[in-house]
Amino acid sequence: MLSSRTLSLTIPRHWLDLYETIWKPEFFPKWASGLTNSTLEPEGNRWRARGPEGTVKIRFTPHNPFGVMDHWVDTGFGKEIYMPMRVIANEQGAEVMVTVYRQPLTSEDKFKQDIEWVSKDLEKLNQLLTQ
């Protein structure tokens, strides 16, 4: 089993409204820093983009009534990286949660950097949605 860390962010918007705003793959480059200098282009059941280390392919969970926004990132260096993501109700607001798994052969420092990266991305998402 991989060790993991789940990051959570409270956003003062109704969870379903929030989910409907951010679930589309085309919205991810607005806040996910690994995609901000790229456009997502459909390629079969995946999307292709330019990431920080080259071309990546991403699969997204289809639209659903449960706030599930899981995605799988294929960096071209082996297996896909699974990124569970959820939007859930928090009274009148919403909680956005992303789980980061420590990948095999990843150092503790690199894992901490990955967590910081996702945390900054969530803050960017919050800024986009609350301005």
Side-chain angles (χ1 to χ4, degrees):
M1 262 179 23
L2 301 173
S3 58
S4 66
R5 172 95 182 271
T6 299
L7 305 172
S8 179
L9 177 70
T10 304
I11 297 179
R13 285 182 61 171
H14 186 272
W15 80 271
L16 189 54
D17 174 57
L18 178 65
Y19 173 74
E20 291 298 334
T21 300
I22 68 173
W23 77 269
K24 297 175 187 88
E26 298 93 329
F27 193 82
F28 275 69
K30 294 180 180 181
W31 63 274
S33 60
L35 301 174
T36 54
N37 294 323
S38 182
T39 56
L40 288 175
E41 297 184 22
E43 187 176 272
N45 69 340
R46 297 172 189 235
W47 294 75
R48 186 172 30 86
R50 185 98 182 123
E53 297 176 6
T55 300
V56 296
K57 294 181 181 179
I58 308 167
R59 290 188 300 126
F60 294 93
T61 302
H63 183 262
N64 62 81
F66 309 109
V68 176
M69 295 179 57
D70 294 358
H71 47 288
W72 294 259
V73 180
D74 180 351
T75 61
F77 295 109
K79 72 175 197 156
E80 291 179 314
I81 298 169
Y82 175 47
M83 299 290 299
M85 183 171 176
R86 305 285 187 276
V87 177
I88 62 170
N90 181 350
E91 294 190 348
Q92 274 58 45
E95 205 71 29
V96 178
M97 300 180 300
V98 177
T99 299
V100 180
Y101 288 107
R102 182 177 176 181
Q103 299 302 306
L105 306 176
T106 300
S107 70
E108 186 63 33
D109 284 343
K110 174 68 168 108
F111 184 49
K112 286 179 183 175
Q113 289 173 5
D114 291 346
I115 291 166
E116 288 173 13
W117 185 346
V118 172
S119 181
K120 287 178 185 174
D121 284 352
L122 286 175
E123 284 301 323
K124 173 70 174 180
L125 179 64
N126 189 36
Q127 290 172 4
L128 279 172
L129 298 169
T130 58
Q131 289 181 353

